[in-house]
Amino acid sequence: MSGGGKAGLAPDQKAALESWLTGQAGARSVSVIDEGRLSGGAISLNLAVTLEIDGGPLSGRHPCVLRTGSASGVSASLGKAEEAAVLRAVFAAGATVPEPLFVGADPAMLGAPFYIMRRATGVAAGFRIVKSEEPRRELAHELGRQLGLIHRVRPGQTELAAGLEFLELPEPTAALQAVADFRRWAGRYAASDPVLAYGLRWLERNAPAAGDLVLCHRDYRTGNYMVDADRLTAIIDWEFAGWSDPMEDLGWFCAACWRFGRNDREAGGIADRADLYAGYEETAGRRVDPAAVAYWEAAACMRWAVIAIQQADRHISGTEPSLELALTGRMLPEIEMDLLRHLDAVEAAP
Amino acid sequence: MINDDPGARDLVAIALRSFREAILPVVPADQRFTALMIANALGTAERELAAGTGAEPALAAAVGDLLGETGDLPVLLPRLCAAIDSGRFDAPDRQLALRAVLTDITLARLAVSNPKRLSAERREPGR
């Protein structure tokens, strides 16, 4: 959210969208009911829409989300048409994600590429998800199983990975590619902030060897899945997806910065790691490597730090003046403290 | 330029107090997130203006000890980054000494940006 605007579709955009959707859906007519902006997503804009489709295979009423890019993104994020292709692949792999229905790659219609997916029910807000008396062990287990399904999508597979050719392979390894990206995104801050300099150096010197490459969500954490009562209804926010080391997603999920104050529940503030790991091993066809997860947790802190820097830069540069983006820049000390504490623990381990 | 009284710190402090007492309680629910962000931003600005450069000499001395140099913190920090990049802190004992100083620097920044986290760190290091 940058400023709390409620602007949805302008009348001419709505008309253009309806006529385009009518063609796409092979329908007699489509009307779009604009239900306003959904919260969440500093990078993307999400509009609640209901499609009333008359005729064609999708004839009926469909609560959906129209997702489009905002004025400026961060370097790691996919375009919306690419994001929809990733969503299509993981949907086909059996993961619990919203089904993408229509992809509008032409920026002329709404000002930026967009896609429309089915709308899941439930809440995503991290601070609400972690609010529970007892640990949510079954939820953590299910999130592990889901991640295992997602990680079955691998580069070069003819069926599951069809349409994902635009995703680049990391070079020379997933870890070293990640650190090189972090260094580039950190820009001038890597030369003036010694915590960043130390974190980057540590990640370069401790990078695990090349291993399996799988489709990683790369923002798989509490806050980016939806829960209705106790049921997982959707894994959302796929804009950072890419080929990487499968342990990266587990490290990101468990990283201290995504526990929403429940530091005692190391798996995303909801349960123990054991619950997540057990679910993962059920479906992934590989074991969890705790040392590699620990490496990727350090990488998670660094990644979040450089994303915070980039978010703040969108404000500082004047591209997108926003209080929320500005304050994100001021989160750097707490992110760096998480990194230092994590490295203290890793280095102290035998 | 000549600044008049009250100064920036005082103005920000009283603006924040008035905002908290008079505005925040009557802000409609859909604007509450923005209102809380405004309070957060003003609070950070107030603490930054209050802290000034008071913490810098002690941190500069600690960084200087690591590097075997003397100087002001804004000069020493880029040198520390360069020393880290060149591998001068790769040995385990040097990393340990480095992390202690980096932790002190980060705690000083938390005092401005997130005093709640700072007190949590003091109660229970590592959270």
Side-chain angles (χ1 to χ4, degrees):
Chain A
M1 190 205 70
S2 26
K6 286 177 196 153
L9 295 168
D12 57 325
Q13 289 179 328
K14 186 170 167 297
L17 183 62
E18 285 173 339
S19 118
W20 177 78
L21 282 172
T22 303
Q24 291 289 306
R28 275 185 298 277
S29 75
V30 175
S31 57
V32 176
I33 303 159
D34 181 353
E35 287 148 338
R37 274 178 76 162
L38 295 165
S39 62
I43 292 166
S44 300
L45 193 113
N46 299 309
L47 270 188
V49 293
T50 290
L51 306 184
E52 287 180 342
I53 301 179
D54 177 22
L58 281 169
S59 192
R61 198 180 153 85
H62 306 280
C64 289
V65 174
L66 187 157
R67 187 162 157 90
T68 182
S70 74
S72 58
V74 302
S75 318
S77 57
L78 297 173
K80 286 297 163 256
E82 287 84 23
E83 188 180 311
V86 169
L87 202 50
R88 188 152 283 160
V90 290
F91 183 78
T96 303
V97 296
E99 181 186 3
L101 297 177
F102 303 101
V103 182
D106 180 0
M109 195 172 359
L110 299 184
F114 66 92
Y115 65 92
I116 294 175
M117 59 184 155
R118 291 191 192 277
R119 194 188 323 161
T121 59
V123 295
F127 71 95
R128 290 177 65 181
I129 301 276
V130 302
K131 220 176 262 176
S132 90
E133 199 83 357
E134 293 297 313
R136 305 181 80 165
R137 299 188 57 189
E138 182 43 43
L139 179 60
H141 202 101
E142 178 58 19
L143 283 159
R145 280 193 288 258
Q146 289 291 323
L147 194 57
L149 290 176
I150 295 162
H151 287 179
R152 287 188 188 173
V153 181
R154 309 206 38 191
Q157 278 171 332
T158 43
E159 269 179 50
L160 279 180
L164 299 182
E165 296 75 15
F166 59 88
L167 291 175
E168 288 176 20
L169 290 168
E171 285 291 340
T173 67
L176 290 174
Q177 173 79 64
V179 193
D181 290 342
F182 301 158
R183 204 175 263 295
R184 201 171 62 251
W185 300 335
R188 65 182 193 278
Y189 291 95
S192 60
D193 179 335
V195 182
L196 296 179
Y198 174 58
L200 291 167
R201 178 88 184 163
W202 190 93
L203 290 169
E204 282 160 358
R205 297 184 69 242
N206 292 279
D212 289 348
L213 286 179
V214 302
L215 184 68
C216 283
H217 180 286
R218 301 187 107 172
D219 201 4
Y220 198 75
R221 62 167 174 91
T222 297
N224 279 343
Y225 54 83
M226 297 181 67
V227 176
D228 196 346
D230 277 318
R231 191 173 59 90
L232 179 76
T233 55
I235 296 153
I236 57 175
D237 279 357
W238 288 83
E239 64 205 6
F240 294 122
W243 305 124
S244 191
D245 182 326
M247 298 302 117
E248 177 175 356
D249 277 338
L250 289 165
W252 186 259
F253 194 92
C254 295
C257 46
W258 301 124
R259 294 178 194 156
F260 294 88
R262 288 308 303 248
N263 217 36
D264 54 326
R265 295 176 182 168
E266 294 192 353
I270 58 170
D272 290 339
R273 285 171 196 266
D275 301 308
L276 178 77
Y277 290 2
Y280 183 77
E281 291 183 350
E282 272 175 32
T283 54
R286 77 171 57 74
R287 303 301 302 265
V288 173
D289 173 353
V293 176
Y295 173 86
W296 285 105
E297 276 177 71
C301 296
M302 182 59 72
R303 184 181 173 87
W304 177 207
V306 295
I307 288 175
I309 287 172
Q310 287 195 313
Q311 299 279 52
D313 258 354
R314 287 161 65 190
H315 165 80
I316 295 166
S317 66
T319 324
E320 202 177 342
S322 149
L323 180 53
E324 186 176 21
L325 294 175
L327 286 171
T328 304
R330 285 301 190 113
M331 291 175 73
L332 211 52
E334 61 205 71
I335 302 167
E336 292 184 359
M337 186 56 77
D338 286 336
L339 173 65
L340 289 169
R341 294 306 186 196
H342 181 67
L343 293 182
D344 280 339
V346 171
E347 290 290 327
Chain B
M1 181 172 112
I2 298 164
N3 288 318
D4 292 307
D5 285 332
R9 178 192 165 185
D10 191 339
L11 286 176
V12 172
I14 193 64
L16 174 58
R17 193 170 142 187
S18 307
F19 184 78
R20 279 216 177 102
E21 288 173 358
I23 308 294
L24 207 49
V26 296
V27 163
D30 66 336
Q31 292 299 325
R32 191 158 168 84
F33 182 58
T34 305
L36 289 171
M37 288 197 298
I38 291 170
N40 183 0
L42 288 173
T44 302
E46 183 196 351
R47 287 187 298 273
E48 182 171 308
L49 290 165
T53 53
E56 289 193 10
L59 294 173
V63 174
D65 277 351
L66 280 178
L67 289 170
E69 294 178 41
T70 54
D72 293 337
L73 197 61
V75 174
L76 290 176
L77 288 181
R79 287 191 197 154
L80 180 58
C81 291
I84 292 167
D85 291 347
S86 68
R88 276 178 60 196
F89 292 93
D90 286 351
D93 62 320
R94 296 297 285 154
Q95 283 195 50
L96 197 62
L98 173 66
R99 280 203 307 277
V101 173
L102 295 182
T103 301
D104 287 342
I105 293 171
T106 309
L107 289 171
R109 292 159 65 207
L110 279 177
V112 171
S113 69
N114 190 341
K116 222 189 244 176
R117 174 70 189 269
L118 178 71
S119 40
E121 283 292 333
R122 295 236 156 101
R123 270 199 315 277
E124 187 191 344
R127 216 55 85 95

